[in-house]
Amino acid sequence: MTREVRNISDTLQLYSSVSIFAIFAYLITHLLLNSASISGTPTIKPYDKFDLEKDIEKLHEVAKKVPNRAPDGDTMVRMVCHRTRDQRMQMKKAFKDKFDQDIASYCGGAADGEISLEDLLVDCFTSVLEIYVFHFYWELDYMFKSIDKHSLVEILLSVPPQEKEKFVSIYNETYRITPDQHVKDKVKDPEVHDLILRMLSKNRKPDITPDKIDWELAKKEATILNEGRKKWKETPEELERILLETPIQQLNATFVEFQKVNGKEIDEVMKKKLGRDLRECYKAMVHFVKDKYDYYAGRLHYAMKGCGTQDHVLNRIVSIHCEDDLKEIATAFQLNTADSLIDAIAADTTLHHEMLLTCLAGKHTVKEC
């Protein structure tokens, strides 16, 4: 029995409250090495009663600020969370054409001081790639917080390889600075600075199906990693080439072969061979490759633990993955914490921000609008 299966078995015994069906669905997905051919389960689906003209008229009315009447925040949230991003983007264009206003700003104005809700509404009415662009810029340039290397790494891992060039182009057009120049200006830790720059410059090759894995190549690259592990800190080029350019399935095979050669999993070896900041970045890459659902579940848990909530992380992951694989992420979250994702979000957020986030995460309101 592999280490991964033993770990999952132990977790299943510990958290018996998790739905048995959800557990088996997650287990099967995990054992299939998160193949790119396996599509996740969204929590938001296209609204079958979608009427573009009627929807923008209604949203304009319920979010309007007029004397002696508060905007209808409940209806506004239900309208947003029951439409997919494609439907919302259609609404955004039509709203601009008809009312000459940005729909996210208009709805945000009805948020009555709920800054986190305003930010989430902007994410909901923005394309996925533009969300990554904005959040990457915000992480580097927001003056009231220190730079979060975990978020920078997460964003660059999440941007699809085929869209990396477009990501850079949008970034440059929007902010008049390239992301690599922005990193050079803002990230002071030299090791993290260099790693983020290399993540920007390198692109993972298209993924392959499990039957296309080259096990001889996996053995060769596992040997390269094992023999070069003592020099990872000084010369990380080979490590980063393999981590950042190898297809996910092939890289998983390399990790399997590395454990055979070394006797330990690669992330365990990283603890001894790298400094803390760099080690955490590399381990995030390994975690993402081994189990992306578990990786995002960990990011959500990180955003909600301790004092204060990292709303930008919550907003980004939930708003993007609700139309892709949030169901699997929620199952991984519950396996790790014994709490449902919806309950955790509800306990850590308030008012309409809570309502919209939990709805996107799968807690659909009874009344649709």
mmCIF file of all heavy atoms in Angstrom, residues 119-165:
data_model
loop_
_atom_site.group_PDB
_atom_site.id
_atom_site.type_symbol
_atom_site.label_atom_id
_atom_site.label_comp_id
_atom_site.label_asym_id
_atom_site.label_seq_id
_atom_site.Cartn_x
_atom_site.Cartn_y
_atom_site.Cartn_z
ATOM 1 N N ASP A 119 -15.316 43.661 -3.249
ATOM 2 C CA ASP A 119 -14.200 42.981 -3.915
ATOM 3 C C ASP A 119 -14.652 41.682 -4.577
ATOM 4 O O ASP A 119 -14.217 41.349 -5.686
ATOM 5 C CB ASP A 119 -13.087 42.693 -2.905
ATOM 6 C CG ASP A 119 -12.410 43.958 -2.389
ATOM 7 O OD1 ASP A 119 -12.546 45.005 -3.038
ATOM 8 O OD2 ASP A 119 -11.756 43.885 -1.331
ATOM 9 N N LEU A 120 -15.514 40.935 -3.901
ATOM 10 C CA LEU A 120 -16.004 39.675 -4.455
ATOM 11 C C LEU A 120 -16.871 39.921 -5.682
ATOM 12 O O LEU A 120 -16.800 39.171 -6.662
ATOM 13 C CB LEU A 120 -16.790 38.906 -3.386
ATOM 14 C CG LEU A 120 -17.414 37.569 -3.813
ATOM 15 C CD1 LEU A 120 -16.363 36.623 -4.393
ATOM 16 C CD2 LEU A 120 -18.120 36.905 -2.621
ATOM 17 N N LEU A 121 -17.682 40.968 -5.655
ATOM 18 C CA LEU A 121 -18.515 41.300 -6.813
ATOM 19 C C LEU A 121 -17.646 41.625 -8.023
ATOM 20 O O LEU A 121 -17.958 41.227 -9.149
ATOM 21 C CB LEU A 121 -19.431 42.474 -6.487
ATOM 22 C CG LEU A 121 -20.618 42.161 -5.566
ATOM 23 C CD1 LEU A 121 -21.266 43.453 -5.060
ATOM 24 C CD2 LEU A 121 -21.648 41.298 -6.283
ATOM 25 N N VAL A 122 -16.549 42.340 -7.788
ATOM 26 C CA VAL A 122 -15.625 42.641 -8.886
ATOM 27 C C VAL A 122 -15.081 41.339 -9.478
ATOM 28 O O VAL A 122 -15.040 41.166 -10.702
ATOM 29 C CB VAL A 122 -14.465 43.538 -8.408
ATOM 30 C CG1 VAL A 122 -13.396 43.657 -9.489
ATOM 31 C CG2 VAL A 122 -14.984 44.920 -8.036
ATOM 32 N N ASP A 123 -14.694 40.394 -8.618
ATOM 33 C CA ASP A 123 -14.205 39.093 -9.107
ATOM 34 C C ASP A 123 -15.283 38.347 -9.884
ATOM 35 O O ASP A 123 -14.993 37.685 -10.888
ATOM 36 C CB ASP A 123 -13.724 38.233 -7.935
ATOM 37 C CG ASP A 123 -12.376 38.692 -7.380
ATOM 38 O OD1 ASP A 123 -11.732 39.550 -8.013
ATOM 39 O OD2 ASP A 123 -11.978 38.207 -6.308
ATOM 40 N N CYS A 124 -16.510 38.443 -9.427
ATOM 41 C CA CYS A 124 -17.604 37.714 -10.084
ATOM 42 C C CYS A 124 -17.892 38.252 -11.487
ATOM 43 O O CYS A 124 -18.360 37.508 -12.350
ATOM 44 C CB CYS A 124 -18.879 37.790 -9.234
ATOM 45 S SG CYS A 124 -18.846 36.745 -7.766
ATOM 46 N N PHE A 125 -17.630 39.536 -11.703
ATOM 47 C CA PHE A 125 -17.899 40.141 -13.006
ATOM 48 C C PHE A 125 -16.608 40.391 -13.795
ATOM 49 O O PHE A 125 -16.537 41.304 -14.611
ATOM 50 C CB PHE A 125 -18.667 41.454 -12.824
ATOM 51 C CG PHE A 125 -20.115 41.266 -12.475
ATOM 52 C CD1 PHE A 125 -20.566 41.471 -11.187
ATOM 53 C CD2 PHE A 125 -21.040 40.872 -13.439
ATOM 54 C CE1 PHE A 125 -21.903 41.302 -10.847
ATOM 55 C CE2 PHE A 125 -22.380 40.701 -13.119
ATOM 56 C CZ PHE A 125 -22.810 40.909 -11.821
ATOM 57 N N THR A 126 -15.605 39.568 -13.550
ATOM 58 C CA THR A 126 -14.313 39.687 -14.226
ATOM 59 C C THR A 126 -13.915 38.334 -14.803
ATOM 60 O O THR A 126 -14.236 37.296 -14.214
ATOM 61 C CB THR A 126 -13.236 40.171 -13.226
ATOM 62 O OG1 THR A 126 -13.638 41.422 -12.661
ATOM 63 C CG2 THR A 126 -11.883 40.343 -13.900
ATOM 64 N N SER A 127 -13.232 38.315 -15.926
ATOM 65 C CA SER A 127 -12.774 37.051 -16.489
ATOM 66 C C SER A 127 -11.732 36.430 -15.556
ATOM 67 O O SER A 127 -11.059 37.131 -14.794
ATOM 68 C CB SER A 127 -12.169 37.265 -17.877
ATOM 69 O OG SER A 127 -10.914 37.918 -17.772
ATOM 70 N N VAL A 128 -11.591 35.118 -15.643
ATOM 71 C CA VAL A 128 -10.681 34.402 -14.744
ATOM 72 C C VAL A 128 -9.249 34.913 -14.889
ATOM 73 O O VAL A 128 -8.564 35.180 -13.895
ATOM 74 C CB VAL A 128 -10.737 32.883 -15.003
ATOM 75 C CG1 VAL A 128 -9.624 32.157 -14.244
ATOM 76 C CG2 VAL A 128 -12.097 32.325 -14.589
ATOM 77 N N LEU A 129 -8.774 35.077 -16.114
ATOM 78 C CA LEU A 129 -7.400 35.516 -16.311
ATOM 79 C C LEU A 129 -7.191 36.928 -15.753
ATOM 80 O O LEU A 129 -6.147 37.226 -15.159
ATOM 81 C CB LEU A 129 -7.041 35.477 -17.798
ATOM 82 C CG LEU A 129 -5.549 35.542 -18.125
ATOM 83 C CD1 LEU A 129 -4.792 34.401 -17.459
ATOM 84 C CD2 LEU A 129 -5.321 35.516 -19.627
ATOM 85 N N GLU A 130 -8.176 37.787 -15.911
ATOM 86 C CA GLU A 130 -8.066 39.149 -15.380
ATOM 87 C C GLU A 130 -8.102 39.154 -13.856
ATOM 88 O O GLU A 130 -7.506 40.034 -13.227
ATOM 89 C CB GLU A 130 -9.172 40.029 -15.946
ATOM 90 C CG GLU A 130 -8.954 40.380 -17.412
ATOM 91 C CD GLU A 130 -10.118 41.132 -18.026
ATOM 92 O OE1 GLU A 130 -11.287 40.778 -17.741
ATOM 93 O OE2 GLU A 130 -9.871 42.075 -18.800
ATOM 94 N N ILE A 131 -8.798 38.182 -13.250
ATOM 95 C CA ILE A 131 -8.752 38.047 -11.786
ATOM 96 C C ILE A 131 -7.324 37.747 -11.348
ATOM 97 O O ILE A 131 -6.799 38.357 -10.413
ATOM 98 C CB ILE A 131 -9.695 36.931 -11.303
ATOM 99 C CG1 ILE A 131 -11.148 37.319 -11.523
ATOM 100 C CG2 ILE A 131 -9.471 36.640 -9.809
ATOM 101 C CD1 ILE A 131 -12.142 36.210 -11.181
ATOM 102 N N TYR A 132 -6.682 36.801 -12.032
ATOM 103 C CA TYR A 132 -5.297 36.463 -11.684
ATOM 104 C C TYR A 132 -4.379 37.670 -11.853
ATOM 105 O O TYR A 132 -3.506 37.923 -11.013
ATOM 106 C CB TYR A 132 -4.806 35.298 -12.546
ATOM 107 C CG TYR A 132 -5.410 33.957 -12.190
ATOM 108 C CD1 TYR A 132 -5.856 33.085 -13.178
ATOM 109 C CD2 TYR A 132 -5.525 33.558 -10.864
ATOM 110 C CE1 TYR A 132 -6.398 31.850 -12.847
ATOM 111 C CE2 TYR A 132 -6.070 32.329 -10.529
ATOM 112 C CZ TYR A 132 -6.506 31.480 -11.522
ATOM 113 O OH TYR A 132 -7.050 30.254 -11.199
ATOM 114 N N VAL A 133 -4.579 38.424 -12.925
ATOM 115 C CA VAL A 133 -3.764 39.614 -13.169
ATOM 116 C C VAL A 133 -3.951 40.624 -12.043
ATOM 117 O O VAL A 133 -2.973 41.123 -11.462
ATOM 118 C CB VAL A 133 -4.134 40.269 -14.520
ATOM 119 C CG1 VAL A 133 -3.513 41.668 -14.633
ATOM 120 C CG2 VAL A 133 -3.667 39.397 -15.677
ATOM 121 N N PHE A 134 -5.204 40.926 -11.709
ATOM 122 C CA PHE A 134 -5.475 41.922 -10.660
ATOM 123 C C PHE A 134 -4.921 41.475 -9.310
ATOM 124 O O PHE A 134 -4.287 42.267 -8.597
ATOM 125 C CB PHE A 134 -6.983 42.182 -10.540
ATOM 126 C CG PHE A 134 -7.327 42.997 -9.320
ATOM 127 C CD1 PHE A 134 -7.087 44.365 -9.291
ATOM 128 C CD2 PHE A 134 -7.849 42.395 -8.186
ATOM 129 C CE1 PHE A 134 -7.371 45.113 -8.157
ATOM 130 C CE2 PHE A 134 -8.136 43.131 -7.042
ATOM 131 C CZ PHE A 134 -7.896 44.506 -7.033
ATOM 132 N N HIS A 135 -5.155 40.212 -8.960
ATOM 133 C CA HIS A 135 -4.718 39.743 -7.644
ATOM 134 C C HIS A 135 -3.194 39.687 -7.543
ATOM 135 O O HIS A 135 -2.630 39.952 -6.477
ATOM 136 C CB HIS A 135 -5.336 38.376 -7.342
ATOM 137 C CG HIS A 135 -6.747 38.459 -6.858
ATOM 138 N ND1 HIS A 135 -7.110 38.194 -5.554
ATOM 139 C CD2 HIS A 135 -7.900 38.790 -7.488
ATOM 140 C CE1 HIS A 135 -8.407 38.351 -5.407
ATOM 141 N NE2 HIS A 135 -8.913 38.717 -6.580
ATOM 142 N N PHE A 136 -2.523 39.343 -8.634
ATOM 143 C CA PHE A 136 -1.061 39.338 -8.619
ATOM 144 C C PHE A 136 -0.537 40.759 -8.395
ATOM 145 O O PHE A 136 0.364 40.986 -7.574
ATOM 146 C CB PHE A 136 -0.521 38.778 -9.946
ATOM 147 C CG PHE A 136 0.932 38.403 -9.914
ATOM 148 C CD1 PHE A 136 1.330 37.149 -9.474
ATOM 149 C CD2 PHE A 136 1.912 39.305 -10.340
ATOM 150 C CE1 PHE A 136 2.680 36.798 -9.451
ATOM 151 C CE2 PHE A 136 3.256 38.963 -10.315
ATOM 152 C CZ PHE A 136 3.649 37.712 -9.871
ATOM 153 N N TYR A 137 -1.120 41.714 -9.105
ATOM 154 C CA TYR A 137 -0.733 43.114 -8.928
ATOM 155 C C TYR A 137 -1.021 43.578 -7.503
ATOM 156 O O TYR A 137 -0.189 44.234 -6.864
ATOM 157 C CB TYR A 137 -1.504 43.988 -9.926
ATOM 158 C CG TYR A 137 -1.156 45.458 -9.833
ATOM 159 C CD1 TYR A 137 -0.095 45.995 -10.555
ATOM 160 C CD2 TYR A 137 -1.898 46.309 -9.008
ATOM 161 C CE1 TYR A 137 0.234 47.337 -10.460
ATOM 162 C CE2 TYR A 137 -1.577 47.657 -8.908
ATOM 163 C CZ TYR A 137 -0.517 48.169 -9.633
ATOM 164 O OH TYR A 137 -0.197 49.496 -9.525
ATOM 165 N N TRP A 138 -2.206 43.232 -6.999
ATOM 166 C CA TRP A 138 -2.614 43.663 -5.655
ATOM 167 C C TRP A 138 -1.672 43.102 -4.605
ATOM 168 O O TRP A 138 -1.303 43.800 -3.662
ATOM 169 C CB TRP A 138 -4.048 43.206 -5.404
ATOM 170 C CG TRP A 138 -4.626 43.699 -4.117
ATOM 171 C CD1 TRP A 138 -5.269 44.878 -3.887
ATOM 172 C CD2 TRP A 138 -4.640 42.991 -2.857
ATOM 173 N NE1 TRP A 138 -5.681 44.973 -2.573
ATOM 174 C CE2 TRP A 138 -5.304 43.827 -1.917
ATOM 175 C CE3 TRP A 138 -4.163 41.762 -2.436
ATOM 176 C CZ2 TRP A 138 -5.486 43.445 -0.591
ATOM 177 C CZ3 TRP A 138 -4.348 41.390 -1.110
ATOM 178 C CH2 TRP A 138 -5.001 42.220 -0.203
ATOM 179 N N GLU A 139 -1.274 41.843 -4.759
ATOM 180 C CA GLU A 139 -0.364 41.229 -3.789
ATOM 181 C C GLU A 139 0.972 41.967 -3.745
ATOM 182 O O GLU A 139 1.603 42.066 -2.691
ATOM 183 C CB GLU A 139 -0.123 39.754 -4.133
ATOM 184 C CG GLU A 139 -1.307 38.832 -3.906
ATOM 185 C CD GLU A 139 -1.658 38.667 -2.436
ATOM 186 O OE1 GLU A 139 -0.841 39.038 -1.569
ATOM 187 O OE2 GLU A 139 -2.761 38.169 -2.149
ATOM 188 N N LEU A 140 1.408 42.494 -4.877
ATOM 189 C CA LEU A 140 2.690 43.192 -4.938
ATOM 190 C C LEU A 140 2.592 44.652 -4.528
ATOM 191 O O LEU A 140 3.556 45.220 -4.011
ATOM 192 C CB LEU A 140 3.254 43.123 -6.359
ATOM 193 C CG LEU A 140 3.749 41.762 -6.851
ATOM 194 C CD1 LEU A 140 4.097 41.846 -8.336
ATOM 195 C CD2 LEU A 140 4.959 41.294 -6.055
ATOM 196 N N ASP A 141 1.429 45.258 -4.728
ATOM 197 C CA ASP A 141 1.368 46.714 -4.641
ATOM 198 C C ASP A 141 0.507 47.267 -3.510
ATOM 199 O O ASP A 141 0.479 48.484 -3.314
ATOM 200 C CB ASP A 141 0.853 47.286 -5.969
ATOM 201 C CG ASP A 141 1.594 48.540 -6.375
ATOM 202 O OD1 ASP A 141 2.799 48.441 -6.649
ATOM 203 O OD2 ASP A 141 0.977 49.620 -6.404
ATOM 204 N N TYR A 142 -0.191 46.405 -2.771
ATOM 205 C CA TYR A 142 -1.062 46.914 -1.720
ATOM 206 C C TYR A 142 -0.206 47.398 -0.560
ATOM 207 O O TYR A 142 0.556 46.644 0.041
ATOM 208 C CB TYR A 142 -2.033 45.825 -1.248
ATOM 209 C CG TYR A 142 -3.113 46.336 -0.323
ATOM 210 C CD1 TYR A 142 -4.022 47.298 -0.751
ATOM 211 C CD2 TYR A 142 -3.222 45.852 0.976
ATOM 212 C CE1 TYR A 142 -5.016 47.763 0.094
ATOM 213 C CE2 TYR A 142 -4.219 46.314 1.826
ATOM 214 C CZ TYR A 142 -5.119 47.267 1.384
ATOM 215 O OH TYR A 142 -6.087 47.729 2.220
ATOM 216 N N MET A 143 -0.318 48.676 -0.225
ATOM 217 C CA MET A 143 0.623 49.294 0.711
ATOM 218 C C MET A 143 0.402 48.907 2.171
ATOM 219 O O MET A 143 1.271 49.105 3.010
ATOM 220 C CB MET A 143 0.557 50.820 0.582
ATOM 221 C CG MET A 143 -0.760 51.440 0.994
ATOM 222 S SD MET A 143 -0.733 53.253 0.842
ATOM 223 C CE MET A 143 -0.671 53.442 -0.931
ATOM 224 N N PHE A 144 -0.770 48.365 2.507
ATOM 225 C CA PHE A 144 -1.071 48.103 3.911
ATOM 226 C C PHE A 144 -0.841 46.647 4.317
ATOM 227 O O PHE A 144 -1.321 46.201 5.348
ATOM 228 C CB PHE A 144 -2.517 48.506 4.227
ATOM 229 C CG PHE A 144 -2.776 49.972 4.012
ATOM 230 C CD1 PHE A 144 -3.621 50.397 2.988
ATOM 231 C CD2 PHE A 144 -2.160 50.920 4.807
ATOM 232 C CE1 PHE A 144 -3.846 51.746 2.775
ATOM 233 C CE2 PHE A 144 -2.389 52.271 4.611
ATOM 234 C CZ PHE A 144 -3.232 52.690 3.583
ATOM 235 N N LYS A 145 -0.131 45.885 3.500
ATOM 236 C CA LYS A 145 0.158 44.500 3.851
ATOM 237 C C LYS A 145 1.523 44.094 3.303
ATOM 238 O O LYS A 145 2.010 44.665 2.325
ATOM 239 C CB LYS A 145 -0.925 43.551 3.305
ATOM 240 C CG LYS A 145 -0.951 43.477 1.786
ATOM 241 C CD LYS A 145 -2.025 42.543 1.276
ATOM 242 C CE LYS A 145 -1.662 41.107 1.424
ATOM 243 N NZ LYS A 145 -0.512 40.678 0.645
ATOM 244 N N SER A 146 2.111 43.114 3.950
ATOM 245 C CA SER A 146 3.361 42.573 3.432
ATOM 246 C C SER A 146 3.057 41.639 2.268
ATOM 247 O O SER A 146 1.950 41.099 2.150
ATOM 248 C CB SER A 146 4.102 41.814 4.532
ATOM 249 O OG SER A 146 3.291 40.769 5.043
ATOM 250 N N ILE A 147 4.036 41.438 1.410
ATOM 251 C CA ILE A 147 3.824 40.582 0.237
ATOM 252 C C ILE A 147 3.677 39.135 0.676
ATOM 253 O O ILE A 147 4.479 38.617 1.452
ATOM 254 C CB ILE A 147 4.996 40.740 -0.743
ATOM 255 C CG1 ILE A 147 4.980 42.155 -1.343
ATOM 256 C CG2 ILE A 147 4.930 39.697 -1.853
ATOM 257 C CD1 ILE A 147 6.186 42.471 -2.211
ATOM 258 N N ASP A 148 2.634 38.488 0.188
ATOM 259 C CA ASP A 148 2.350 37.093 0.522
ATOM 260 C C ASP A 148 2.889 36.198 -0.594
ATOM 261 O O ASP A 148 2.261 36.075 -1.647
ATOM 262 C CB ASP A 148 0.838 36.905 0.699
ATOM 263 C CG ASP A 148 0.445 35.473 1.022
ATOM 264 O OD1 ASP A 148 1.362 34.657 1.271
ATOM 265 O OD2 ASP A 148 -0.756 35.169 1.016
ATOM 266 N N LYS A 149 4.035 35.600 -0.369
ATOM 267 C CA LYS A 149 4.655 34.749 -1.397
ATOM 268 C C LYS A 149 3.768 33.557 -1.748
ATOM 269 O O LYS A 149 3.782 33.075 -2.878
ATOM 270 C CB LYS A 149 6.026 34.268 -0.931
ATOM 271 C CG LYS A 149 6.016 33.410 0.328
ATOM 272 C CD LYS A 149 7.421 33.013 0.747
ATOM 273 C CE LYS A 149 7.427 32.185 2.021
ATOM 274 N NZ LYS A 149 6.959 32.942 3.187
ATOM 275 N N HIS A 150 2.972 33.076 -0.767
ATOM 276 C CA HIS A 150 2.094 31.938 -1.030
ATOM 277 C C HIS A 150 1.062 32.282 -2.111
ATOM 278 O O HIS A 150 0.754 31.461 -2.979
ATOM 279 C CB HIS A 150 1.372 31.516 0.254
ATOM 280 C CG HIS A 150 2.287 31.058 1.333
ATOM 281 N ND1 HIS A 150 2.903 29.829 1.309
ATOM 282 C CD2 HIS A 150 2.717 31.660 2.474
ATOM 283 C CE1 HIS A 150 3.658 29.679 2.389
ATOM 284 N NE2 HIS A 150 3.561 30.786 3.104
ATOM 285 N N SER A 151 0.526 33.503 -2.047
ATOM 286 C CA SER A 151 -0.466 33.905 -3.051
ATOM 287 C C SER A 151 0.177 34.095 -4.418
ATOM 288 O O SER A 151 -0.410 33.727 -5.448
ATOM 289 C CB SER A 151 -1.163 35.198 -2.619
ATOM 290 O OG SER A 151 -2.089 34.948 -1.577
ATOM 291 N N LEU A 152 1.375 34.652 -4.463
ATOM 292 C CA LEU A 152 2.070 34.817 -5.739
ATOM 293 C C LEU A 152 2.316 33.453 -6.395
ATOM 294 O O LEU A 152 2.076 33.278 -7.598
ATOM 295 C CB LEU A 152 3.403 35.537 -5.537
ATOM 296 C CG LEU A 152 3.341 36.989 -5.042
ATOM 297 C CD1 LEU A 152 4.756 37.536 -4.855
ATOM 298 C CD2 LEU A 152 2.554 37.866 -5.997
ATOM 299 N N VAL A 153 2.771 32.494 -5.594
ATOM 300 C CA VAL A 153 3.021 31.153 -6.111
ATOM 301 C C VAL A 153 1.715 30.498 -6.559
ATOM 302 O O VAL A 153 1.638 29.894 -7.636
ATOM 303 C CB VAL A 153 3.730 30.281 -5.050
ATOM 304 C CG1 VAL A 153 3.754 28.816 -5.469
ATOM 305 C CG2 VAL A 153 5.154 30.782 -4.815
ATOM 306 N N GLU A 154 0.672 30.624 -5.739
ATOM 307 C CA GLU A 154 -0.630 30.025 -6.079
ATOM 308 C C GLU A 154 -1.155 30.560 -7.408
ATOM 309 O O GLU A 154 -1.621 29.793 -8.264
ATOM 310 C CB GLU A 154 -1.640 30.335 -4.971
ATOM 311 C CG GLU A 154 -3.063 29.869 -5.273
ATOM 312 C CD GLU A 154 -4.109 30.800 -4.693
ATOM 313 O OE1 GLU A 154 -4.001 31.141 -3.493
ATOM 314 O OE2 GLU A 154 -5.015 31.202 -5.427
ATOM 315 N N ILE A 155 -1.076 31.866 -7.597
ATOM 316 C CA ILE A 155 -1.592 32.472 -8.825
ATOM 317 C C ILE A 155 -0.822 31.971 -10.036
ATOM 318 O O ILE A 155 -1.406 31.587 -11.062
ATOM 319 C CB ILE A 155 -1.538 34.012 -8.730
ATOM 320 C CG1 ILE A 155 -2.565 34.496 -7.696
ATOM 321 C CG2 ILE A 155 -1.806 34.650 -10.089
ATOM 322 C CD1 ILE A 155 -2.402 35.947 -7.295
ATOM 323 N N LEU A 156 0.502 31.931 -9.938
ATOM 324 C CA LEU A 156 1.303 31.493 -11.082
ATOM 325 C C LEU A 156 1.142 30.003 -11.360
ATOM 326 O O LEU A 156 1.236 29.564 -12.511
ATOM 327 C CB LEU A 156 2.776 31.839 -10.861
ATOM 328 C CG LEU A 156 3.090 33.344 -10.875
ATOM 329 C CD1 LEU A 156 4.575 33.590 -10.666
ATOM 330 C CD2 LEU A 156 2.623 33.991 -12.174
ATOM 331 N N LEU A 157 0.890 29.205 -10.332
ATOM 332 C CA LEU A 157 0.592 27.788 -10.552
ATOM 333 C C LEU A 157 -0.769 27.626 -11.225
ATOM 334 O O LEU A 157 -0.985 26.684 -11.993
ATOM 335 C CB LEU A 157 0.592 27.034 -9.221
ATOM 336 C CG LEU A 157 1.948 26.758 -8.565
ATOM 337 C CD1 LEU A 157 1.755 26.197 -7.162
ATOM 338 C CD2 LEU A 157 2.785 25.811 -9.406
ATOM 339 N N SER A 158 -1.688 28.545 -10.948
ATOM 340 C CA SER A 158 -3.073 28.417 -11.422
ATOM 341 C C SER A 158 -3.269 28.920 -12.842
ATOM 342 O O SER A 158 -4.185 28.456 -13.537
ATOM 343 C CB SER A 158 -4.017 29.182 -10.486
ATOM 344 O OG SER A 158 -3.929 28.708 -9.162
ATOM 345 N N VAL A 159 -2.464 29.876 -13.271
ATOM 346 C CA VAL A 159 -2.614 30.398 -14.633
ATOM 347 C C VAL A 159 -2.299 29.279 -15.632
ATOM 348 O O VAL A 159 -1.209 28.703 -15.593
ATOM 349 C CB VAL A 159 -1.665 31.587 -14.875
ATOM 350 C CG1 VAL A 159 -1.715 32.020 -16.342
ATOM 351 C CG2 VAL A 159 -2.034 32.758 -13.980
ATOM 352 N N PRO A 160 -3.243 28.930 -16.508
ATOM 353 C CA PRO A 160 -2.982 27.854 -17.472
ATOM 354 C C PRO A 160 -1.754 28.170 -18.328
ATOM 355 O O PRO A 160 -1.573 29.319 -18.745
ATOM 356 C CB PRO A 160 -4.258 27.837 -18.335
ATOM 357 C CG PRO A 160 -5.308 28.461 -17.470
ATOM 358 C CD PRO A 160 -4.604 29.485 -16.648
ATOM 359 N N PRO A 161 -0.886 27.186 -18.560
ATOM 360 C CA PRO A 161 0.337 27.429 -19.341
ATOM 361 C C PRO A 161 0.077 28.107 -20.680
ATOM 362 O O PRO A 161 0.828 28.989 -21.095
ATOM 363 C CB PRO A 161 0.910 26.022 -19.531
ATOM 364 C CG PRO A 161 0.384 25.234 -18.380
ATOM 365 C CD PRO A 161 -0.983 25.788 -18.105
ATOM 366 N N GLN A 162 -1.007 27.718 -21.344
ATOM 367 C CA GLN A 162 -1.298 28.284 -22.656
ATOM 368 C C GLN A 162 -1.757 29.745 -22.584
ATOM 369 O O GLN A 162 -1.848 30.430 -23.606
ATOM 370 C CB GLN A 162 -2.356 27.443 -23.389
ATOM 371 C CG GLN A 162 -3.748 27.466 -22.774
ATOM 372 C CD GLN A 162 -3.941 26.423 -21.689
ATOM 373 O OE1 GLN A 162 -2.970 25.919 -21.135
ATOM 374 N NE2 GLN A 162 -5.198 26.089 -21.410
ATOM 375 N N GLU A 163 -2.030 30.228 -21.350
ATOM 376 C CA GLU A 163 -2.481 31.613 -21.200
ATOM 377 C C GLU A 163 -1.450 32.494 -20.488
ATOM 378 O O GLU A 163 -1.733 33.659 -20.188
ATOM 379 C CB GLU A 163 -3.821 31.646 -20.441
ATOM 380 C CG GLU A 163 -4.951 30.981 -21.197
ATOM 381 C CD GLU A 163 -6.326 31.327 -20.638
ATOM 382 O OE1 GLU A 163 -6.448 32.357 -19.966
ATOM 383 O OE2 GLU A 163 -7.256 30.552 -20.883
ATOM 384 N N LYS A 164 -0.253 31.969 -20.221
ATOM 385 C CA LYS A 164 0.772 32.738 -19.520
ATOM 386 C C LYS A 164 1.161 33.985 -20.311
ATOM 387 O O LYS A 164 1.309 35.065 -19.749
ATOM 388 C CB LYS A 164 1.999 31.845 -19.281
ATOM 389 C CG LYS A 164 3.128 32.511 -18.497
ATOM 390 C CD LYS A 164 2.815 32.640 -17.039
ATOM 391 C CE LYS A 164 2.842 31.326 -16.308
ATOM 392 N NZ LYS A 164 4.100 30.603 -16.255
ATOM 393 N N GLU A 165 1.319 33.831 -21.624
ATOM 394 C CA GLU A 165 1.692 34.974 -22.458
ATOM 395 C C GLU A 165 0.604 36.046 -22.426
ATOM 396 O O GLU A 165 0.894 37.252 -22.349
ATOM 397 C CB GLU A 165 1.940 34.505 -23.891
ATOM 398 C CG GLU A 165 2.501 35.581 -24.796
ATOM 399 C CD GLU A 165 2.824 35.068 -26.193
ATOM 400 O OE1 GLU A 165 3.139 33.862 -26.328
ATOM 401 O OE2 GLU A 165 2.765 35.862 -27.143
#
